[in-house]
Amino acid sequence: MDFISTRRRMNGQDCHPTTIGGPLLPSDSYVGHLQFNLFSCIQDFCPHHLQLALSKRIEENKSPLYQLIGSKILGSTLRIQSCSDEATELSKCSIQWYRLSSQCSRREPVSGANKFVYAPEPIDVGRVLQVDIVSNGQKVSVTTSGPIDQAADLGCYVETILQKPNNDFNVVIFQMNGRNYSSHSVHLFHVSKTRIKLSKGWMTKARESYSGSMQLCGFRGGGNFAAKSIFWQARKGYSFVLVFESERERNGALILTRKNALDCNVLLAGPDDDILL
């Protein structure tokens, strides 16, 4: 018992033997002391991790600032829309649209697509689109929910016009050489196997064979008619923005001219486009 009392005094523990010759068990005060020390360690350890977990939870639950509205179908128009009171007005933001590769491993900026509206064109089919919205040094990226889909009625229409050696489309000139065009009269956009011609009656605005200096793509300057419009650079320093009568005709004309140009060993695309992405 002297040994037990001495040990009790040395450790400051109120231990007692359960039975004579049996093991010594710690008293309730000793267990409480251990619990207090453990709780103190947890308090010292947890605040940092709790803060990290809380920050992560807040970030996950944070409402998005912007979203894309519109169907991800060729012929539709995608628009950036703010969905939070904290979002900066789009007019005060820098905007850039991108095409993502099929594996989404890299992205290509769509040259000139810097408005809050973008109308997908045939080259976008099968690709995911992404847009960066930058304001005050902060960047927000918004992505389509999936790749752009082909329009249901476009396939048969393209097959029909591809069987013709020549195709004519009614268009209105919206811009010429980057400036708004005053007349809204209807012109004829003539697509043949070897060249494109833009005319009105006997007056020809442009007539060019397919060449490396020619550019053709969907119009990227926004506006209500973006899904019906194309940008056509007939040659360097001479360009038009043309509005078609329908989205189907606009997209059909893009596919047709690119097919004819490819038959002439010319890759016809928009400014800085990487059509092999």
Side-chain angles (χ1 to χ4, degrees):
M1 292 299 293
D2 292 340
F3 173 76
I4 296 174
S5 300
T6 302
R7 182 178 180 183
R8 184 185 304 147
R9 289 194 297 270
M10 291 176 62
N11 294 335
Q13 303 168 0
D14 188 17
C15 298
H16 65 275
T18 54
T19 58
I20 297 176
L24 297 176
L25 297 178
S27 66
D28 292 341
S29 62
Y30 179 64
V31 172
H33 179 69
L34 288 178
Q35 290 176 337
F36 175 78
N37 289 338
L38 181 60
F39 181 72
S40 298
C41 292
I42 292 175
Q43 281 186 317
D44 293 338
F45 176 77
C46 284
H48 175 65
H49 292 272
L50 287 174
Q51 185 177 7
L52 290 178
L54 183 60
S55 298
K56 184 177 180 181
R57 179 65 59 85
I58 292 175
E59 187 67 25
E60 290 175 350
N61 295 335
K62 189 175 181 181
S63 300
L65 298 178
Y66 303 96
Q67 63 181 357
L68 291 179
I69 61 172
S71 302
K72 56 181 184 62
I73 301 176
L74 187 63
S76 66
T77 300
L78 297 174
R79 297 175 183 269
I80 308 170
Q81 184 182 65
S82 60
C83 50
S84 171
D85 293 336
E86 300 177 2
T88 305
E89 292 182 15
L90 290 171
S91 60
K92 300 179 181 179
C93 298
S94 173
I95 296 171
Q96 179 59 58
W97 291 82
Y98 295 86
R99 294 187 185 100
L100 275 62
S101 63
S102 55
Q103 293 80 24
C104 295
S105 58
R106 66 187 183 96
R107 61 180 192 169
E108 169 205 355
V110 183
S111 180
N114 51 20
K115 306 296 183 182
F116 70 92
V117 172
Y118 179 74
E121 62 145 298
I123 202 173
D124 295 317
V125 172
R127 299 178 184 177
V128 173
L129 297 179
Q130 187 176 75
V131 58
D132 285 352
I133 305 116
V134 181
S135 176
N136 299 323
Q138 300 295 319
K139 182 178 73 173
V140 177
S141 297
V142 187
T143 308
T144 56
S145 59
I148 301 299
D149 296 323
Q150 180 72 278
D153 62 342
L154 187 60
C156 294
Y157 175 70
V158 170
E159 288 183 6
T160 300
I161 60 178
L162 283 175
Q163 294 174 0
K164 302 177 182 179
N166 300 284
N167 286 273
D168 294 322
F169 304 90
N170 291 328
V171 297
V172 172
I173 300 176
F174 177 64
Q175 288 183 354
M176 181 175 175
N177 294 330
R179 297 182 178 180
N180 290 342
Y181 197 71
S182 57
S183 173
H184 292 163
S185 58
V186 177
H187 289 65
L188 203 64
F189 188 70
H190 177 82
V191 179
S192 72
K193 295 292 185 180
T194 59
R195 67 184 183 184
I196 300 175
K197 183 175 73 170
L198 179 64
S199 62
K200 180 185 176 183
W202 56 268
M203 184 176 62
T204 299
K205 282 284 186 182
R207 180 172 54 202
E208 298 291 332
S209 299
Y210 301 116
S211 68
S213 63
M214 183 179 291
Q215 295 179 350
L216 188 76
C217 64
F219 178 55
R220 301 164 181 177
N224 295 328
F225 300 104
K228 296 180 181 180
S229 305
I230 68 168
F231 168 80
W232 177 43
Q233 178 180 283
R235 58 181 183 271
K236 288 184 179 181
Y238 197 47
S239 64
F240 301 88
V241 174
L242 306 174
V243 182
F244 286 71
E245 292 184 336
S246 69
E247 293 85 354
R248 187 180 71 166
E249 289 191 359
R250 174 255 205 178
N251 293 316
L254 285 171
I255 295 174
L256 174 66
T257 51
R258 285 173 178 161
K259 171 64 170 57
N260 290 344
L262 189 60
D263 291 342
C264 297
N265 298 317
V266 174
L267 293 175
L268 195 57
D272 303 319
D273 278 351
D274 183 0
I275 62 175
L276 301 179
L277 180 69

